[in-house]
Amino acid sequence: MQRPRVEFWYEFASSYSYLSVMRVEALAGAAGVDVAWRPFLLGPVFLSLGWNDSPFNIYPPKGRYMWRDLARLAEKYDLPFRVPSRFPRNGLLAARVALLGVEEGWIAPFSREIMRANFAEDREIGDEEVVEAVLRDLGLPAGELLAAAVATDNKLALRHQTEEATALGLFGAPTFRVGDELFWGNDRLEDALDWANRRPG
Amino acid sequence: MQRPRVEFWYEFASSYSYLSVMRVEALAGAAGVDVAWRPFLLGPVFLSLGWNDSPFNIYPPKGRYMWRDLARLAEKYDLPFRVPSRFPRNGLLAARVALLGVEEGWIAPFSREIMRANFAEDREIGDEEVVEAVLRDLGLPAGELLAAAVATDNKLALRHQTEEATALGLFGAPTFRVGDELFWGNDRLEDALDWANRRPG
């Protein structure tokens, strides 16, 4: 029988994606559900909705609430958290690198370290030096991977994945997908895992 | 010692408010938390954010997702649900009537019946006849209450409550408030109750 599976769509710039990137592997493991990591870019998705910035910046009351909510949730999940001095940061390079880690099997720890850099250590994850340092700390060949990340085929792969996100009806991150069902938001992770076990996708 | 308390801000037109209106009394009771019911109007709040309609209508992918999410959640909570043929409905009269029920003690059952009419029975809760029928079914003096609902002082009371919502930083419904902490969304009801028990408001 096929193991149940959840697609995990996330963006390195996204604050609530931080919480799910840190939580998903342990929870999915406990639920016996495989995770397909799907980094993508929210920018083009937001543009298709008419937003040229994060809605948390466009709508200040939503933004103020979000940072407080995030601090409370980080405490609840026992995760480190510091309000970043820049938001949103550019997740493009990190997403390109992450794609390379899907087949090589290191996308989960890489994603966690990038997220920790952004939302716990206030580091500029848009800078190549930060991504390089994360790769090196994981014992990965940073130079090689950074070159492969910006090769044409990999750039196109991320573009296609982002187009697929829009085509699937995604409008935010994180989003969990089980079969044809979408679950939007870190607070739906548990529901998505329950659904995966109910109807194997 | 003061009993812990949560303010429950909701709007009769709001789909996720439906879920919380049906759930809040039982959950708060089990948690030993008092509920202060605070009906308000989302329209003016949305206008202050630049929206002249529900964001679920302005952004179709959000709207499609919301209805599916609502159906799944209603099933999870064992609540009746039917996608209403009109959305959002006008919650003005129902909110005015509800305010009268705060002191008289019938706001909870009245709110549940209005919500059931809107989101399970597809009835026009903006129509006086529907509100009247709900009041009568509850054994309340419908004619008297409908007259009191549109008296100037009561109209002003609802306006003030809506202005207070904006001043408190609310940007959607349902929102739970414990002390100075806001919890936005039906999915934060349990967190709000936990918070109330942690730091009595």
Side-chain angles (χ1 to χ4, degrees):
Chain A
M1 207 182 94
Q2 213 182 339
R3 249 173 86 92
R5 199 179 82 126
V6 62
E7 287 177 9
F8 170 40
W9 293 79
Y10 64 105
E11 141 83 86
F12 288 106
S14 148
S15 50
Y16 286 106
S17 290
Y18 166 55
L19 302 177
S20 290
V21 161
M22 305 309 268
R23 301 196 312 131
V24 66
E25 209 168 51
L27 270 73
V33 175
D34 288 337
V35 179
W37 293 67
R38 295 272 187 273
F40 74 112
L41 298 181
L42 269 179
V45 175
F46 282 172
L47 271 181
S48 76
L49 294 168
W51 303 325
N52 62 357
D53 192 355
S54 163
F56 295 125
N57 290 339
I58 298 176
Y59 307 109
K62 284 181 91 88
R64 277 190 295 273
Y65 172 78
M66 181 273 284
W67 291 118
R68 179 64 193 137
D69 191 44
L70 213 71
R72 282 192 312 237
L73 290 170
E75 192 191 329
K76 174 175 159 179
Y77 300 137
D78 203 17
L79 291 172
F81 171 68
R82 196 193 307 175
V83 175
S85 54
R86 183 192 295 189
F87 178 81
R89 290 200 162 107
N90 190 337
L92 175 63
L93 179 61
R96 285 174 173 167
V97 170
L99 268 193
L100 302 170
V102 174
E103 287 196 16
E104 296 184 17
W106 45 261
I107 188 169
F110 173 77
S111 297
R112 283 193 291 266
E113 291 313 308
I114 290 289
M115 284 303 207
R116 193 189 317 272
N118 194 3
F119 293 104
E121 298 164 357
D122 197 20
R123 289 158 72 196
E124 281 296 342
I125 62 156
D127 288 356
E128 188 175 297
E129 297 72 49
V130 172
V131 177
E132 191 181 3
V134 164
L135 287 169
R136 258 193 279 107
D137 288 348
L138 290 168
L140 294 165
E144 245 175 71
L145 289 169
L146 286 169
V150 296
T152 305
D153 57 340
N154 192 59
K155 287 160 81 169
L156 283 177
L158 180 62
R159 185 183 297 179
H160 289 152
Q161 187 137 296
T162 296
E163 287 166 355
E164 192 189 343
T166 308
L168 290 172
L170 270 70
F171 51 87
T175 296
F176 307 93
R177 185 163 173 265
V178 180
D180 289 331
E181 297 282 332
L182 298 179
F183 296 82
W184 172 51
N186 169 70
D187 37 37
R188 290 292 189 283
L189 169 52
E190 288 83 352
D191 282 354
L193 295 174
D194 286 347
W195 197 272
N197 270 317
R198 187 161 95 160
R199 309 184 188 181
Chain B
M1 208 180 93
Q2 213 182 339
R3 247 173 86 92
R5 199 178 81 126
V6 61
E7 287 178 9
F8 170 39
W9 294 78
Y10 63 104
E11 142 83 87
F12 289 107
S14 148
S15 49
Y16 287 107
S17 290
Y18 166 55
L19 302 177
S20 290
V21 162
M22 305 309 268
R23 301 197 312 132
V24 68
E25 208 168 52
L27 270 72
V33 175
D34 288 337
V35 180
W37 293 67
R38 294 272 186 273
F40 75 112
L41 298 181
L42 269 179
V45 176
F46 282 172
L47 272 180
S48 77
L49 295 167
W51 301 325
N52 62 357
D53 193 354
S54 163
F56 296 125
N57 290 339
I58 298 175
Y59 307 109
K62 283 181 92 85
R64 277 190 294 274
Y65 172 78
M66 180 273 283
W67 291 117
R68 179 64 193 137
D69 191 44
L70 213 71
R72 281 191 314 236
L73 290 170
E75 192 191 329
K76 173 175 160 177
Y77 299 136
D78 203 17
L79 292 171
F81 171 68
R82 196 196 305 176
V83 176
S85 54
R86 183 192 295 189
F87 178 82
R89 290 200 163 106
N90 190 336
L92 174 62
L93 179 61
R96 285 175 172 166
V97 170
L99 268 194
L100 303 170
V102 173
E103 289 197 15
E104 296 184 18
W106 45 261
I107 187 170
F110 172 77
S111 297
R112 284 193 291 267
E113 291 311 309
I114 290 289
M115 284 302 207
R116 194 190 316 273
N118 193 2
F119 292 104
E121 298 165 356
D122 197 21
R123 288 157 74 195
E124 281 297 342
I125 62 157
D127 288 356
E128 189 175 299
E129 297 72 48
V130 171
V131 178
E132 190 181 7
V134 164
L135 287 169
R136 258 192 280 107
D137 288 350
L138 290 168
L140 294 164
E144 246 175 68
L145 291 168
L146 286 169
V150 296
T152 304
D153 57 341
N154 192 59
K155 286 160 82 168
L156 283 176
L158 180 62
R159 185 183 297 179
H160 290 154
Q161 187 136 296
T162 295
E163 286 167 355
E164 192 189 343
T166 307
L168 291 173
L170 270 70
F171 51 88
T175 295
F176 306 94
R177 186 163 173 264
V178 180
D180 288 331
E181 298 280 333
L182 298 179
F183 296 82
W184 173 51
N186 170 70
D187 36 37
R188 291 293 188 282
L189 169 52
E190 287 84 351
D191 283 353
L193 295 174
D194 287 348
W195 196 273
N197 270 316
R198 186 162 95 160
R199 309 185 189 179

